[in-house]
Amino acid sequence: MRILGIDPGLNTTGYGVLEIVEHQPRLVEAGIVRGKARGDVTARVKEIYDGVSDVIKSLAPNVLALEKLYAHYDRPTTAILMGHARGVICLAAAEADIAVADYAATQVKKTLTGNGRAPKPQMQRAIQLELGLSTAPEPADVADALAIAFCHYCSSRESRVASLE
């Protein structure tokens, strides 16, 4: 089982693939899909789509775990732009016939640290410890993507245990 976690962004989309080996998550690969810092939205979302499609083709995940869209009333435009990024990521998954699981950022943080409001450095350190990495994942987008994949692993494990009871 391979889980592709994605932290969507128009400038930097973090990704991380975990493989479940003997009931434990192991890091396969993590990195970023970088969009143009400037330019029209159409070109930026195409870069995200192409990059995520390449990751899916090369790493063959079984499921894609994605951060849910969060809209802050002070920044509605950010939510709209993030919706574009999420849309092309979901399209890449659909074209590859991969299921998509959505997780709220607070759920991911709570799963990993016990605190739904954990700051980025705490999340980076937590995923480093959970995966036994020698250093914390950089940039934070990569750590967030790995945390989303890890959250899916934990949720799936809890679902399997509950079904056995």
Side-chain angles (χ1 to χ4, degrees):
M1 163 69 100
R2 283 192 172 189
I3 305 165
L4 169 58
I6 296 188
D7 180 34
L10 279 181
N11 295 327
T12 305
T13 293
Y15 73 89
V17 175
L18 299 179
E19 185 166 37
I20 311 309
V21 179
E22 297 178 3
H23 307 289
Q24 294 298 315
R26 303 279 185 247
L27 176 63
V28 174
E29 182 178 305
I32 57 171
V33 173
R34 195 172 297 279
K36 293 178 183 172
R38 303 196 194 287
D40 71 347
V41 172
T42 305
R44 292 164 77 183
V45 296
K46 181 168 182 345
E47 289 176 333
I48 294 166
Y49 170 80
D50 290 343
V52 170
S53 293
D54 288 347
V55 168
I56 289 171
K57 286 175 192 155
S58 66
L59 299 175
N62 304 94
V63 64
L64 188 149
L66 186 60
E67 186 174 282
K68 279 186 182 178
L69 186 61
Y70 170 75
H72 192 277
Y73 67 91
D74 282 341
R75 296 185 287 285
T77 303
T78 300
I80 293 167
L81 293 173
M82 292 306 299
H84 293 341
R86 280 182 44 86
V88 297
I89 291 165
C90 290
L91 175 60
E95 285 185 337
D97 200 27
I98 297 171
V100 175
D102 291 309
Y103 295 96
T106 53
Q107 180 183 359
V108 173
K109 291 175 178 187
K110 187 166 185 162
T111 298
L112 207 57
T113 68
N115 175 6
R117 304 267 182 235
K120 289 202 179 284
Q122 184 179 2
M123 291 296 294
Q124 288 172 286
R125 178 75 174 134
I127 200 67
Q128 175 189 359
L129 293 173
E130 286 293 345
L131 298 178
L133 306 175
S134 59
T135 60
E138 289 284 342
D141 307 286
V142 171
D144 290 348
L146 288 169
I148 294 162
F150 187 82
C151 181
H152 181 76
Y153 159 73
C154 291
S155 294
S156 298
R157 184 180 60 195
E158 289 169 9
S159 295
R160 285 191 304 277
V161 169
S163 69
L164 296 174
E165 294 176 345

